[in-house]
Amino acid sequence: MITRRRWLCGMGMMAGAAAAQPRDVFAAAQGGTSEDASESRPLSLAEFEPRSMLQVKESHVDRARFPVIDFHTHVTRSAKSKNGVELAAERRFLGTPESLLTIMDRKNIHAMVNLTGGYDQGLASVVEKYDRAFPGRFITFTEPCYERWKEPNYPQLQVEAIERAHQQGARGLKILKTLGLYLREDITTGKLVPVDDRRFDPMWDCCAQLNMPVAIHVADPLAFFTATDRFNERYEELNNHPDWSFYGGDFPSVAELLQARNRILARHPRTQFVVLHAGNCAENLADVAQSLDRFPNMSVDIAARIGELGRQPRTARTFFDKYQDRIVFGTDATPHGDEVPQQNFNDRLYEIYYRFLETDDEYFDYAPATIPPQGRWRIYGIDLSETILRKVYFENAARRLGLPV
């Protein structure tokens, strides 16, 4: 039986224990001022910067546990484009090799794959400046030359361009979402050219013959294909970038884009496709899994999608466990990409990716930004095993690129 004396004694011990706790446990709750509290004006969404009161473990992963191949970066881009279609072989260089290598060495990045290397003389200049100047550290992919699309013998011209690119040192082919969402019959006007247009079949076959993997991006987040309204979970992102919306007009749906992509995978089983951005459907990993099960020539990267993967950590962990041999590391990193913090090439970007993959931390930012750029949520780490980390960080990409493992 608990007497009143025992009860009071117990309460005193509990109070003493509470008083003895470090004061900084509650430091996160000390935000704001009396002046802030007294304001009664409406708060715009752009000004809303809530501070989490959650007290959980916070890990800092300064370097990847194992060497990394970043399979998805954009070190260069076309010097001329219109309506989403690149129209020139010439390249713009977004970062010097020396500036990139400084961060790469700090973050244990063995190599960066520059997917947007262009074609013809532009590609040659990129390979010379990066790949040949720093062997093994930079790997360049080529791209289709859409500026010649209207020429009657385009399919053969494109095959010849791929063959030249291979001779120049390109290690793969990059397909931007230009195909399916921007390229039109008159290049920038007219009817949209479908992803699985037969005129590209020789190009896919050429890549198979030359053992060049195809990094393909055919759709964007599901929210980009719905109305930009109060129900859209990416409202702020689309409001800031209205040209990212593919809702309405003559744009195909996500389902139509993925079905067209799947028809390509089925028609070209000898061509290796790396379907970017978590298979272009990170919001529905069950659908991505079905495609992986159906197409042995398909693998995926995780670039710019840890915001999606990290808010479904148990599903994501299961996905990584099952498809550990078919997932490659990528970030979509772009030097000086300040407008898109989830892709801006810097130390913090890689630290977040490493934290997601290597720890079981809870509820942390998926991008180095004050306001989450893709949607107002946070993510959870999936704490992969060392075996899977080695594969995702390096081995899977190395095999697809023909590098020693």
Side-chain angles (χ1 to χ4, degrees):
M1 179 177 179
I2 300 177
T3 65
R4 185 170 181 273
R5 183 186 297 272
R6 282 188 179 179
W7 181 79
L8 288 172
C9 180
M11 290 296 291
M13 292 174 65
M14 290 171 63
Q21 289 189 29
R23 294 177 61 86
D24 60 2
V25 169
F26 303 99
Q30 304 304 314
T33 65
S34 58
E35 181 180 348
D36 295 332
S38 66
E39 291 183 359
S40 58
R41 65 177 179 83
L43 182 70
S44 71
L45 186 57
E47 297 175 294
F48 183 53
E49 299 178 14
R51 301 174 182 175
S52 173
M53 300 293 104
L54 197 62
Q55 300 293 312
V56 291
K57 174 173 64 75
E58 296 184 13
S59 304
H60 181 75
V61 186
D62 187 59
R63 285 171 57 85
R65 196 175 306 173
F66 306 107
V68 169
I69 296 175
D70 189 338
F71 192 86
H72 190 152
T73 72
H74 299 283
V75 177
T76 58
R77 65 175 52 158
S78 177
K80 180 183 178 182
S81 64
K82 181 180 179 182
N83 297 342
V85 183
E86 296 185 355
L87 297 174
E90 292 78 19
R91 296 284 99 184
R92 286 179 53 204
F93 300 95
L94 305 181
T96 65
E98 294 78 10
S99 65
L100 301 175
L101 285 164
T102 299
I103 293 178
M104 291 169 65
D105 290 341
R106 281 202 298 264
K107 298 301 154 191
N108 203 15
I109 302 169
H110 174 79
M112 286 178 61
V113 179
N114 175 26
L115 294 180
T116 42
Y119 51 91
D120 290 339
Q121 71 270 23
L123 173 67
S125 65
V126 172
V127 171
E128 186 67 28
K129 184 178 180 67
Y130 295 92
D131 303 39
R132 294 204 172 111
F134 300 91
R137 303 305 302 275
F138 297 100
I139 297 167
T140 300
F141 276 33
T142 188
E143 299 174 86
C145 50
Y146 295 127
E147 61 179 306
R148 304 187 68 179
W149 169 249
K150 293 186 66 178
E151 298 184 30
N153 57 339
Y154 175 81
Q156 181 58 33
L157 290 173
Q158 186 57 70
V159 166
E160 293 170 358
I162 297 293
E163 291 172 342
R164 283 195 304 275
H166 184 258
Q167 293 171 356
Q168 291 170 321
R171 305 293 286 271
L173 172 68
K174 168 67 161 93
I175 302 298
L176 293 164
K177 61 187 175 187
T178 304
L179 182 57
L181 290 172
Y182 292 116
L183 180 66
R184 296 177 179 271
E185 285 298 341
D186 292 323
I187 302 181
T188 60
T189 61
K191 184 180 178 182
L192 281 168
V193 176
V195 172
D196 61 338
D197 192 289
R198 288 282 186 174
R199 285 168 284 186
F200 290 107
D201 280 349
M203 180 178 71
W204 310 127
D205 288 336
C206 180
C207 289
Q209 293 167 10
L210 297 174
N211 292 319
M212 296 173 69
V214 177
I216 186 168
H217 175 182
V218 299
D220 266 350
L222 298 181
F224 289 13
F225 294 81
T226 62
T228 305
D229 57 20
R230 64 193 179 97
F231 300 108
N232 195 311
E233 65 177 352
R234 290 180 180 243
Y235 173 83
E236 288 174 280
E237 183 178 26
L238 290 167
N239 191 51
N240 292 332
H241 304 278
D243 56 316
W244 292 3
S245 174
F246 298 106
Y247 176 70
D250 63 344
F251 293 116
S253 67
V254 171
E256 290 169 330
L257 289 166
L258 298 187
Q259 288 165 7
R261 178 206 69 195
N262 288 349
R263 287 192 288 271
I264 295 174
L265 296 177
R267 289 205 305 258
H268 303 278
R270 293 178 56 246
T271 307
Q272 289 296 318
F273 292 89
V274 180
V275 183
L276 305 175
H277 306 298
N280 295 134
C281 198
E283 303 92 333
N284 187 351
L285 290 180
D287 181 82
V288 180
Q290 288 179 3
S291 295
L292 286 166
D293 292 341
R294 180 182 173 191
F295 303 112
N297 58 331
M298 172 181 168
S299 53
V300 301
D301 83 353
I302 61 172
R305 292 299 181 269
I306 61 170
E308 296 292 350
L309 298 171
R311 61 173 174 161
Q312 48 181 327
R314 289 183 291 277
T315 299
R317 172 62 186 263
T318 300
F319 182 84
F320 274 78
D321 284 344
K322 182 174 182 180
Y323 301 104
Q324 58 186 269
D325 296 313
R326 299 170 69 184
I327 302 171
V328 300
F329 180 88
T331 60
D332 214 359
T334 305
H336 307 293
D338 303 298
E339 291 187 0
V340 280
Q342 70 274 17
Q343 298 169 224
N344 192 15
F345 178 77
N346 57 37
D347 290 85
R348 291 181 63 201
L349 178 72
Y350 286 97
E351 290 164 10
I352 292 171
Y353 271 82
Y354 301 161
R355 186 180 182 188
F356 165 66
L357 295 171
E358 296 188 23
T359 79
D360 60 356
D361 282 8
E362 300 176 291
Y363 200 68
F364 56 93
D365 292 327
Y366 58 79
T370 303
I371 297 175
Q374 295 176 300
R376 284 186 178 261
W377 59 78
R378 289 183 170 179
I379 65 172
Y380 302 78
I382 57 175
D383 193 22
L384 296 178
S385 70
E386 291 194 351
T387 298
I388 298 178
L389 283 173
R390 289 180 187 274
K391 293 178 179 181
V392 172
Y393 275 151
F394 188 91
E395 294 173 5
N396 294 341
R399 289 191 178 96
R400 282 150 183 82
L401 294 166
L403 304 176
V405 177

